Amino acid sequence: MAMLKIENLHANVGDKEILKGLTLEVGAGEVHAIMGPNGSGKSTLGYVLAGREGYEATSGSVTFDGRDLLAMAPHERAAAGFFLGLQYPVEIPGVSNLNFLRTALNAQRKLRGEPDISAADFMRLARTEADAFDLTMDHMKRGVNVGFSGGEKKRNEMVQMALLAPKFAVLDETDSGLDIDALKTVAGGINLLRSPERGFLLITHYQRLLDYVKPDKVHVLSGGRIVRSGGPELAHALEREGYGELAA
């Protein structure tokens, strides 16, 4: 059974149709990658799945872990175990990373009927995950992403994901703007979080991330739909040859 099953999904941004019949399945324990030219609908897919305002699914269906994802509010999707890593993480001045993350974690636990995590347990967990992604407790005490470099923002997204421990994560160009060391750190974190109970959808322009995170399948998204699927070798072919007629 697929953890994420998308069938003939159409979606608009404003009055413009961006997704035009996208169909995709990702099973538990699988990592799939989506590649495609600019404007093909990659980020739109992530936003529609997360429930971002202004991104409207007009037809089709999305089933997540056996539930109708599109019928759920964004916070319900998060509590059910859906996570979106942003291409451009935003800064939130005045709200510390620690406070933001503990509040988010406890909000999800409450919706699942679980008790709040204690301050002491949360601090131990936060320190462990920050260390794993080469962030310091100084980073964790700052406003969310305030004063962070591009790479630090992306690593901070990985800390958020590790703390929230979602069932399924869509990572939207997590590799963009990373130097080789940061790329290896992020890829290592993704690999560490891979498990038979968790699925990943990696949205990327470049094959280099996939050298470190070996996907089960690679899909080409063009014109709002999946036009080709294959194994990791497809990413290498795209790197060599470009999208060519696939993007027509």
Side-chain angles (χ1 to χ4, degrees):
M1 177 178 168
M3 176 169 279
L4 181 73
K5 185 174 183 179
I6 305 171
E7 294 187 290
N8 196 30
L9 180 63
H10 292 250
N12 287 7
V13 179
D15 59 0
K16 183 177 182 181
E17 186 178 45
I18 303 296
L19 301 183
K20 304 175 182 180
L22 188 148
T23 295
L24 177 69
E25 290 190 24
V26 183
E30 294 182 350
V31 175
H32 288 214
I34 286 187
M35 304 179 73
N38 289 329
S40 59
K42 300 186 301 298
S43 292
T44 295
L45 174 61
Y47 291 147
V48 169
L49 295 177
R52 180 173 177 176
E53 185 177 358
Y55 291 75
E56 180 187 6
T58 55
S59 65
S61 64
V62 181
T63 303
F64 170 55
D65 204 22
R67 301 173 64 182
D68 181 357
L69 185 73
L70 300 179
M72 302 163 68
H75 69 281
E76 294 172 328
R77 301 180 195 195
F82 183 89
F83 177 88
L84 174 64
L86 299 176
Q87 180 179 357
Y88 302 109
V90 298
E91 296 185 4
I92 310 178
V95 179
S96 76
N97 245 333
L98 289 172
N99 186 51
F100 171 77
L101 289 170
R102 188 180 177 209
T103 300
L105 180 57
N106 280 334
Q108 292 191 12
R109 291 170 68 95
K110 182 177 180 179
L111 283 172
R112 295 194 294 260
E114 301 169 0
D116 285 357
I117 187 171
S118 71
D121 286 345
F122 175 77
M123 287 299 293
R124 281 192 289 270
L125 182 60
R127 188 181 299 277
T128 297
E129 300 301 349
D131 286 346
F133 290 96
D134 293 335
L135 293 180
T136 66
M137 289 308 291
D138 175 65
H139 289 102
M140 302 304 291
K141 292 174 183 177
R142 290 190 214 170
V144 177
N145 291 321
V146 174
F148 285 24
S149 68
E152 287 169 343
K153 289 180 179 180
K154 297 300 180 72
R155 298 204 305 274
N156 195 38
E157 290 273 285
M158 296 298 98
V159 172
Q160 292 176 21
M161 180 174 69
L163 284 169
L164 296 173
K167 293 180 181 178
F168 194 92
V170 176
L171 303 181
D172 187 4
E173 297 196 30
T174 299
D175 53 334
S176 66
L178 298 183
D179 62 28
I180 190 65
D181 291 330
L183 178 67
K184 288 180 178 179
T185 297
V186 167
I190 295 171
N191 287 328
L192 187 64
L193 290 169
R194 292 176 82 156
S195 78
E197 297 79 32
R198 180 175 289 123
F200 285 92
L201 185 60
L202 308 179
I203 297 171
T204 181
H205 270 300
Y206 305 108
Q207 165 265 327
R208 62 178 191 155
L209 174 65
L210 307 184
D211 284 342
Y212 300 102
V213 181
K214 305 296 184 183
D216 297 283
K217 289 186 179 180
V218 175
H219 309 277
V220 179
L221 177 58
S222 182
R225 57 175 62 91
I226 301 294
V227 296
R228 187 174 174 185
S229 298
E233 69 281 353
L234 177 56
H236 289 273
L238 293 170
E239 190 79 6
R240 290 192 310 268
E241 303 165 13
Y243 296 104
E245 63 184 26
L246 292 176

